[in-house]
Amino acid sequence: MSNIPSILKSLRIPVIGSPMFIISNPKLVIEQCKAGIVGSMPALNARPASQLDEWLAEITEALADYNAKNPERPAAPFAINQIVHKSNDRLEHDMELCVKYKVPIIITSLGAREEVNVAAHSYGGIVLHDIINNKFAHKAIDKGADGLIAVATGAGGHAGSKSPFALVQELREWFDGPLALAGSIASGKSILAAQAMGADFAYIGSPFIATHEARASEDYKQAIVESTSDDIVYSNLFTGVHGNYLAPSIRAAGLDPENLPESDPSKMNFGGDGKSKAWKDIWGSGQGIGVINEVTSAGEFVHKLHQEYIEARNELLKTSEVFA
Ligand SMILES: Cc1cc2nc3c(=O)[nH]c(=O)nc-3n(C[C@H](O)[C@H](O)[C@H](O)COP(=O)(O)O)c2cc1C
């Protein structure tokens, strides 16, 4: 096992609920944390920017209240995601609020910046940086990130293109800090597999779209329930960077998911200006949703993962006896 900061040792199961543009909101974050996994949301989901102050107050107060009433089983810590790309002109403002509220975990994506890490460390926070290859991982750690999130092929959002085995194996050659693995993880067995592979945490996004708390339309939630990996299309058309999307939403937008043109890289848009159609009308999703068969509460879903995880661990112990 790697060097895990104490703040991440309190989880009920080794899972981080990943941040999702538009979808994640304080309600989802609070329920994820109460259920015992890290809950997170992108700072950019708060609009206008001033709303972030209110949202951070809401999350901090709700979790403090929960912890006061449940001292024997306190909530897991929460995380705020910062898009560290030059198109994000709110970064400084949003980081100042994270410092004000001492956000326990900062998740950085689309770039690594030393000043963000320094700001988080100033109050004892930690930074996990998401990467899709070993080169970006080295850069992130050199700039002071505490941990890594390996985004493998099949993940929702801006997925990588590498096998999770290739990524984790290479990272574990040199990195012994906290490591989360992302990409299609949607069951207790898969969480255990991520750990067996060398990761410390499973980083799970798309399955949480089909929860009552998620800020997604009922049609989007239903599409997650009804779709499988066959319905996921990998394209760079919508934001300039390759990502995974639900084919039915692409068809509904009048496009043929099997014949999408390549994007114009000069028009990269990560949603920072609020104008991107991607994510709102073109629905993001990873490939792991084939096992999501109903819309439930986030707490119920985490409970299911927990049960499956314990069962998988017990099963594995039996198998390892056979091969010992
Ligand atoms: C709809 C959607 C929106 C996303 N938005 C963001 C985002 O704003 N910032 C970010 O770092 N990752 C974003 N992601 C990626 C997730 O944080 C995470 O890497 C991914 O969901 C993990 O793969 P999975 O969906 O297969 O579980 C998004 C993913 C989805 C599905």
Side-chain angles (χ1 to χ4, degrees):
M1 186 172 255
S2 66
N3 277 321
I4 298 181
S6 55
I7 190 177
L8 288 171
K9 285 187 183 156
S10 60
L11 310 187
R12 188 163 169 227
I13 39 171
V15 171
I16 299 172
S18 70
M20 291 182 281
F21 189 52
I22 301 178
I23 312 265
S24 321
N25 58 5
K27 228 160 118 190
L28 180 59
V29 173
I30 292 165
E31 289 313 307
Q32 288 174 323
C33 294
K34 282 186 188 170
I37 66 165
V38 174
S40 74
M41 65 174 192
L44 287 174
N45 279 8
R47 271 169 216 276
S50 58
Q51 193 183 42
L52 186 60
D53 203 338
E54 291 156 37
W55 281 13
L56 289 175
E58 184 183 341
I59 294 170
T60 310
E61 282 160 26
L63 296 181
D65 185 47
Y66 180 84
N67 290 348
K69 291 182 183 137
N70 299 276
E72 74 299 336
R73 212 171 88 176
F78 75 102
I80 291 294
N81 170 228
Q82 298 287 13
I83 303 288
V84 190
H85 183 262
K86 58 182 183 324
S87 65
N88 180 8
D89 55 12
R90 284 176 44 176
L91 182 61
E92 205 179 319
H93 165 272
D94 292 353
M95 258 329 278
E96 276 169 17
L97 285 173
C98 289
V99 174
K100 176 179 165 189
Y101 285 93
K102 296 188 168 54
V103 172
I105 303 160
I106 302 291
I107 293 172
T108 49
S109 28
L110 295 167
R113 281 223 219 144
E114 217 164 335
E115 65 268 29
V116 173
N117 301 329
V118 171
H121 294 156
S122 71
Y123 59 87
I126 61 164
V127 178
L128 305 178
H129 185 76
D130 82 5
I131 51 96
I132 54 166
N133 62 36
N134 209 6
K135 190 175 118 204
F136 289 150
H138 275 289
K139 260 194 187 165
I141 296 304
D142 288 349
K143 290 197 174 175
D146 304 283
L148 296 168
I149 299 157
V151 183
T153 185
H158 292 131
S161 57
K162 296 223 167 150
S163 147
F165 291 100
L167 256 182
V168 173
Q169 281 166 183
E170 287 181 17
L171 292 168
R172 279 307 190 210
E173 289 273 288
W174 61 274
F175 183 65
D176 69 355
L179 174 63
L181 176 64
S184 302
I185 300 175
S187 68
K189 272 198 169 94
S190 300
I191 298 168
L192 190 65
Q195 282 189 303
M197 215 188 267
D200 301 303
F201 304 97
Y203 194 69
I204 303 182
S206 303
F208 284 102
I209 299 171
T211 61
H212 301 311
E213 293 84 357
R215 201 167 51 158
S217 66
E218 289 311 312
D219 286 349
Y220 190 175
K221 292 181 186 183
Q222 214 42 49
I224 294 282
V225 167
E226 285 164 14
S227 301
T228 69
S229 53
D230 287 342
D231 301 301
I232 304 301
V233 177
Y234 190 58
S235 168
N236 66 357
L237 178 65
F238 308 107
T239 67
V241 171
H242 273 97
N244 280 315
Y245 301 93
L246 280 161
S249 68
I250 297 175
R251 268 184 227 110
L255 294 163
D256 176 2
E258 311 215 336
N259 288 296
L260 290 176
E262 286 285 305
S263 81
D264 173 355
S266 67
K267 300 219 173 73
M268 283 219 268
N269 186 330
F270 300 111
D273 59 4
K275 288 185 201 138
S276 176
K277 260 178 91 68
W279 313 122
K280 189 161 175 290
D281 301 325
I282 308 292
W283 298 332
S285 172
Q287 292 175 358
I289 51 165
V291 295
I292 304 301
N293 300 318
E294 58 177 339
V295 177
T296 59
S297 70
E300 280 167 333
F301 179 61
V302 174
H303 182 67
K304 178 169 173 275
L305 289 179
H306 180 246
Q307 283 189 321
E308 290 173 354
Y309 176 75
I310 302 294
E311 270 168 35
R313 218 168 45 182
N314 292 340
E315 274 303 306
L316 193 69
L317 284 175
K318 282 189 218 151
T319 323
S320 47
E321 275 165 25
V322 177
F323 291 103

